[in-house]
Amino acid sequence: MSFRKDFVWGAATASYQVEGAAYEDGKGLNIWDVFCKEDGHVYEHHTGDVACDQYHRYKEDVAIMKEMGLKAYRFSVNWARILPEGTGKVNEKGLAYYDHLVNCLIENGIEPYMTLYHWDLPYALHQRGGWLNPQSPEWFYEYAKLMAAHFSDRVSHFFTFNEPQCTVGLGYVTGEHAPGLKVGPHDYFAIWHNVLKAHGRGVQAIREAAVRPVGVGMAPCGALYYPATDAKEDIEAARKACFALPEADIRAASWDVAFCADPVFLGQYPEDIMKSFGQYFPKTLEKDLELISQPLDFYGQNVYNAVPVRADENGNPVRVDRYPGFPKTAIQWPVTPEVLYWAPKFLYERYQKPIYVTENGMSSHDWVALDGKVHDASRVDFMHRYLREFKKAAADGVDLRGYFAWSLMDNFEWAYGYSERFGMVYVDYETQKRTMKDSGLFYKEVIASNGEIL
């Protein structure tokens, strides 16, 4: 067995990271527009004001996608481009941009996968309390209903949220991301719960407004683990670790896979979360969980790396130290191909939903060589190693539906600005010239063979 014949080979980006046009055609401010202008937040004061200028260059980018052979493109919508105040009056020029993008994708045989929220909350809603406001799920409902009604005739796959862990953990706990706040546990759990309720309301909105049956999911991330050996005890320890809270701390909670996925897919918060933090949740929890656990069609997971663990004498997971010189990417993330076998396997066993890997990739030290090409050999090797493990998961019966490489192109890497390059296409930010890297050419071969070359 290998990848199914209709396996979806795609690439992903996010609105603030690639679009630019931050102040054009009636778009409202979002929290990143403001955050980037404040000192000390982003590397060398970089902003997404122009980014990759995809707003004006989408046709060129879609042509590159077609050349690469992509079957799908996962992009996010800038909420404030559609609803400048977050609610109320619709910006028709904003809808028109996404109409043009979606139509261009379809004309070129590329299926649009739409993410409704990838961290860029309208600033007007932030001024009303943002995700701490109990009305925030209703704001998202209004926005999601508008998007489904308008685009579901052409878009068949919707993701409500991308990485809510980063929205809350980095935006409201560490302050590394917009809006740059550091809240305590009372506000933290209220924000987290509101985001999950917003997801539920978003699912309801899409189901209500879609003009045809569509697939709906979420794209979370989280701390992942893999067994240090193939011993049954170590495999079970890794499985436990993937769905357990390592310590009673809100920073640890942010990256707990089960903290996000259990309420969404199983209709309950994990026992260890409730034991440590139950006092912070509302009295309406049971009713809220009915909303949060709206039926979904697939599970999207963003996967980059994982931690090796072994079982101790009691069967509990113990982290295994990495050996000296363990490989790392340019952004200093460990290279652990095994995660693309074990994470989908563990997630599928627990949640019983078809799996999409909605992000996977690496930052590399890339530049245009003297021959005019970009030879990112490390990324080619990274993709080959990871996808080979992913193929093993398919062969072992995990219901894998698609893979979205992160990223289609170099772009604004949040607090890192333009200092990190994750793309399969090189972007010269001064000229906006695009150059397909060797990794893009490699991925083209993978797609053409449906993974048989791996």
Side-chain angles (χ1 to χ4, degrees), residues 42-56:
V42 179
Y43 176 80
E44 292 191 350
H45 300 96
H46 293 173
T47 77
D49 287 359
V50 177
C52 305
D53 197 30
Q54 189 167 90
Y55 188 81
H56 298 110

Side-chain angles (χ1 to χ4, degrees), residues 64-79:
I64 292 170
M65 296 179 217
K66 185 176 182 179
E67 180 185 353
M68 198 180 291
L70 293 186
K71 305 298 183 185
Y73 178 45
R74 187 173 83 92
F75 62 95
S76 74
V77 175
N78 190 320
W79 186 344

Side-chain angles (χ1 to χ4, degrees), residues 232-297:
K232 290 182 179 180
E233 297 82 4
D234 290 348
I235 293 171
E236 183 56 32
R239 183 182 287 108
K240 285 182 181 179
C242 279
F243 305 107
L245 182 66
E247 57 183 313
D249 178 84
I250 60 173
R251 294 194 182 207
S254 294
W255 309 109
D256 179 3
V257 169
F259 185 28
C260 177
D262 276 17
V264 169
F265 290 96
L266 304 181
Q268 60 188 24
Y269 279 111
E271 288 184 13
D272 52 11
I273 289 287
M274 298 309 297
K275 181 179 179 181
S276 297
F277 306 112
Q279 68 268 33
Y280 299 115
F281 286 88
K283 294 179 180 179
T284 56
L285 186 58
E286 187 173 337
K287 181 179 179 182
D288 292 347
L289 285 168
E290 291 180 12
L291 168 62
I292 290 168
S293 60
Q294 295 297 303
L296 295 180
D297 301 292

